Amino acid sequence: MVGRWCTARRRAGSGDDRRPVPTTVRRVAVRHGSARGVRGEDVSARSSGARGDRAYGGPVRSAALTAVLATAAALLGGPGLLGGPGLLGGPALAAGAPAGYAFAEDARPIEGASGTADAAPLEPGATYRSSLPRNGVLYYRVALDASSDTHVSVTAVPGSAGEVTAVDGIRVSLRDADGNSCSTDSATFGAAHSPRPVTAWTVREMAPGATRCQDPGTYYVTVERTRPQDSPPRAWDLELAAVTEPPPAAADTPTTPGPWDSASPEPLAGAPQRRAAGEGFAQATSVGQGVWRDDIRPGQTLFYEVPVDWGRRVHATAELDGSGDASGYATSALHLALHNPVRGEVDDASKGYTGRRTTVGLAPLPPVDHANRYAADGQVGGMRFAGAYYLVVHLAAQVADDFGEGPFELTLRVRLSGTGRAGPPYAGESRPKGVFEVSAQDRVAAPEGGAAEGDDLAMKVVAAGGIGTGSLLLVGLGVWTAVARRRA
């Protein structure tokens, strides 16, 4: 979506050297483009705090579980469950320039066409890697059935070379064979003018009574830059992912979601536990409720995933520590976004940085509910299915101008609330399989707070499977399967 962005500027004039008060800038999604369309644009501003409470866990005995933890750690390719890199951590941030975007290891190369005649196919359930030139529109085709909702996300990675503008970014559309639009979405870099991965999401939705884009057949995904005349000349890398959601087994009657508490939740309090983030959707680090810490450098983007089941709510804040030099200002420096299981952006907010501790938080969001897709509010509509939700944090490159290259300490506070419940039975399998569910293994792979270590984590592994010591090896295999599926 093309957002309108509030830009805070340094005051100029005789005798006035005051810095602007950092403001949280938010892009709010509204529906457009289809019967239950994706998103449009709006903006609001507010400040955020950082208070709350957190309690988790208690001591248990686990001497007999050392073997399964070691086995699971080996399957994960490192110490993992035993407290090293693997499941509870990751490789330390290397010195120097921020790392780039981590594409899915199994991403298939694909070339966008200049028209529909030569458009290459996107297979639902697969991930692709392509590139977007400065000028022109790229076409890809996708075959849709007569019953499933189909979601296509496109992540553009501009790299660090070249200056971007606030309204620069990508526009993605899904069209039928006659060129009629099913939905359109845009994603832009915003007021920070900082190159970062941006994701747009388009969808063909089956809706009772709808007439557009309801027939099976060949459809086309188009990708282009929003402001090619102001865009850097180099091609941008693209990651494309197509996902299908089958219809409910029972007849789906459109009903608006029930009431929910829209008051801002209190951010979790407590000492953070270090947990290295991933650098892409496919490599996102799994976390549960808790307080997490990692290092971030100007220009870097961090990815975490949070399993959110039906009936559950997620809220998060991101805090950037002070730099020790409070003499500059970076506009919209700290950016936090939430993406749903099909990588569609649900909410985002950003805040300027003065060198002092800065906090930015998500807006209150409803519990995950299948009926949310019928809501008029785009943020509510984005919370339409269970699965892995992604928290994406970016620190603007311009922070380095006034405050140095860092790294800076980042604290992420994640709160999960609400009562989990069963979702609607689907009439078939999603592609990829399991993307709209939260399994016991998913919960094991997402530790909570500072309690997911040592004996507590060992018992969590066992409890998740509901098994005895004779099957502990299978639990380790289940954890490995969950992590492998998330990275696929």
Side-chain angles (χ1 to χ4, degrees):
M1 69 193 118
V2 180
R4 295 181 287 113
W5 294 83
C6 302
T7 304
R9 299 175 180 169
R10 300 185 186 182
R11 301 185 181 184
S14 178
D16 187 356
D17 61 352
R18 294 174 294 172
R19 294 184 304 275
V21 176
T23 301
T24 300
V25 181
R26 180 179 307 287
R27 293 185 299 177
V28 179
V30 295
R31 309 186 329 148
H32 72 91
S34 69
R36 304 190 317 262
V38 187
R39 301 197 303 282
E41 59 180 279
D42 193 7
V43 67
S44 62
R46 65 181 178 85
S47 60
S48 60
R51 300 188 310 274
D53 298 297
R54 175 177 64 87
Y56 177 85
V60 293
R61 292 176 298 174
S62 64
L65 304 181
T66 302
V68 68
L69 294 182
T71 301
L75 288 170
L76 290 169
L81 295 173
L82 297 178
L87 185 61
L88 284 182
L93 183 66
Y101 182 81
F103 289 86
E105 294 179 356
D106 61 348
R108 307 174 186 177
I110 191 171
E111 186 173 341
S114 59
T116 58
D118 298 322
L122 300 175
E123 179 183 340
T127 304
Y128 296 85
R129 184 168 180 174
S130 189
S131 64
L132 177 67
R134 178 178 184 175
N135 297 297
V137 180
L138 297 184
Y139 288 80
Y140 307 87
R141 62 182 167 90
V142 58
L144 305 186
D145 61 24
S147 60
S148 299
D149 287 1
T150 300
H151 307 264
V152 179
S153 69
V154 181
T155 299
V157 184
S160 58
E163 183 177 348
V164 298
T165 67
V167 295
D168 198 5
I170 58 167
R171 181 182 299 110
V172 180
S173 297
L174 182 64
R175 301 179 180 275
D176 65 17
D178 296 325
N180 298 312
S181 176
C182 305
S183 68
T184 298
D185 188 31
S186 298
T188 59
F189 299 112
H193 295 204
S194 180
R196 60 184 174 87
V198 292
T199 302
W201 163 40
T202 188
V203 59
R204 190 287 296 267
E205 300 181 283
M206 303 300 295
T211 58
R212 179 176 293 183
C213 301
Q214 302 296 289
D215 295 330
T218 299
Y219 288 71
Y220 296 94
V221 177
T222 64
V223 185
E224 60 188 313
R225 300 196 194 186
T226 56
R227 294 278 296 181
Q229 64 271 31
D230 300 324
S231 196
R234 291 182 58 181
W236 294 348
D237 287 330
L238 298 178
E239 185 171 71
L240 302 93
V243 177
T244 59
E245 180 190 18
D252 185 19
T253 302
T255 56
T256 56
W260 53 280
D261 184 4
S262 59
S264 296
E266 291 289 339
L268 284 181
Q273 177 179 324
R274 185 163 292 276
R275 186 149 171 81
E279 294 177 335
F281 285 106
Q283 304 294 333
T285 298
S286 189
V287 296
Q289 175 167 291
V291 184
W292 312 102
R293 172 162 291 176
D294 196 8
D295 293 333
I296 188 168
R297 294 181 183 273
Q300 189 176 18
T301 304
L302 305 182
F303 289 76
Y304 289 94
E305 69 172 24
V306 184
V308 186
D309 215 339
W310 300 101
R312 300 276 278 164
R313 301 178 63 182
V314 61
H315 182 259
T317 62
E319 303 169 10
L320 189 67
D321 277 2
S323 69
D325 179 6
S327 60
Y329 183 72
T331 302
S332 299
L334 182 60
H335 181 267
L336 173 65
L338 178 72
H339 295 252
N340 63 25
V342 297
R343 303 186 181 182
E345 186 177 279
V346 177
D347 183 39
D348 79 325
S350 60
K351 197 169 185 180
Y353 186 59
T354 64
R356 298 184 176 93
R357 176 181 289 271
T358 297
T359 301
V360 66
L362 299 175
L365 296 169
V368 171
D369 192 329
H370 190 271
N372 285 342
R373 65 195 64 210
Y374 301 114
D377 186 290
Q379 287 177 312
V380 176
M383 303 295 294
R384 64 180 68 185
F385 20 54
Y389 282 72
Y390 300 90
L391 291 168
V392 182
V393 184
H394 177 75
L395 185 61
Q398 62 170 302
V399 170
D401 295 340
D402 286 338
F403 307 105
E405 296 289 344
F408 299 83
E409 283 197 341
L410 177 79
T411 301
L412 188 68
R413 300 180 186 272
V414 181
R415 178 181 291 278
L416 292 170
S417 60
T419 303
R421 55 176 175 78
Y426 283 118
E429 291 282 0
S430 64
R431 298 175 64 188
K433 184 177 180 180
V435 69
F436 301 123
E437 64 183 44
V438 177
S439 68
Q441 288 80 13
D442 293 330
R443 296 184 181 93
V444 170
E448 296 186 9
E453 60 183 34
D455 293 347
D456 290 334
L457 179 58
M459 285 307 299
K460 184 177 180 182
V461 172
V462 178
I467 57 175
T469 55
S471 301
L472 291 179
L473 187 59
L474 295 180
V475 175
L477 181 60
V479 175
W480 174 83
T481 302
V483 173
R485 176 163 59 84
R486 288 300 182 212
R487 296 194 173 192

